[in-house]
């Protein structure tokens, strides 16, 4: 998914982006913007799901829960 954002202004170390068709205001770390980005620039934000990382995070959470439940049963 690609979302259009306009760099509205800077506020210290944050940038205010107007995102999407409704131009929702989003605070974004200035350091994560492309070099040279200036007020009024149109940016594209690309979002995607990392299925492998999601699966690994779920497996890790399930394992931690199992360990906690086992430790609780052995008390």
């Amino acid at each position: 998914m690609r979302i259009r954002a306009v760099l509205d202004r800077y506020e210290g170390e944050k940038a205010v982006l107007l995102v999407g068709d409704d131009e929702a205001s989003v605070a974004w770390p200035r350091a994560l913007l492309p070099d040279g980005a200036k007020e009024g620039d149109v940016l594209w934000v690309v979002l995607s799901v990392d299925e492998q990382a999601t699966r690994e995070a779920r497996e890790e959470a399930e394992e931690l829960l199992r360990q906690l439940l086992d430790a609780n049963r052995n008390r």
Side-chain angles (χ1 to χ4, degrees):
M1 172 188 296
R2 226 170 67 132
I3 302 169
R4 183 179 188 267
V6 176
L7 177 50
D8 184 53
R9 65 188 180 278
Y10 287 108
E11 294 181 354
E13 293 303 310
K14 299 286 183 185
V16 177
L17 304 180
L18 303 177
V19 180
D21 293 336
D22 61 348
E23 294 189 332
S25 180
V26 174
W28 190 267
R30 188 176 193 153
L32 296 180
L33 289 175
D35 289 339
K38 57 191 177 301
E39 294 174 357
D41 282 351
V42 175
L43 308 169
W44 290 101
V45 180
V46 179
L47 301 173
S48 63
V49 175
D50 185 331
E51 292 179 16
Q52 181 177 345
T54 300
R55 185 173 41 258
E56 290 170 0
R58 284 185 180 142
E59 289 170 358
E60 182 180 344
E62 289 171 0
E63 178 59 27
L64 289 171
L65 180 58
R66 274 193 291 277
Q67 290 174 11
L68 287 170
L69 292 173
D70 289 344
N72 196 32
R73 279 189 216 121
N74 294 330
R75 284 187 180 197

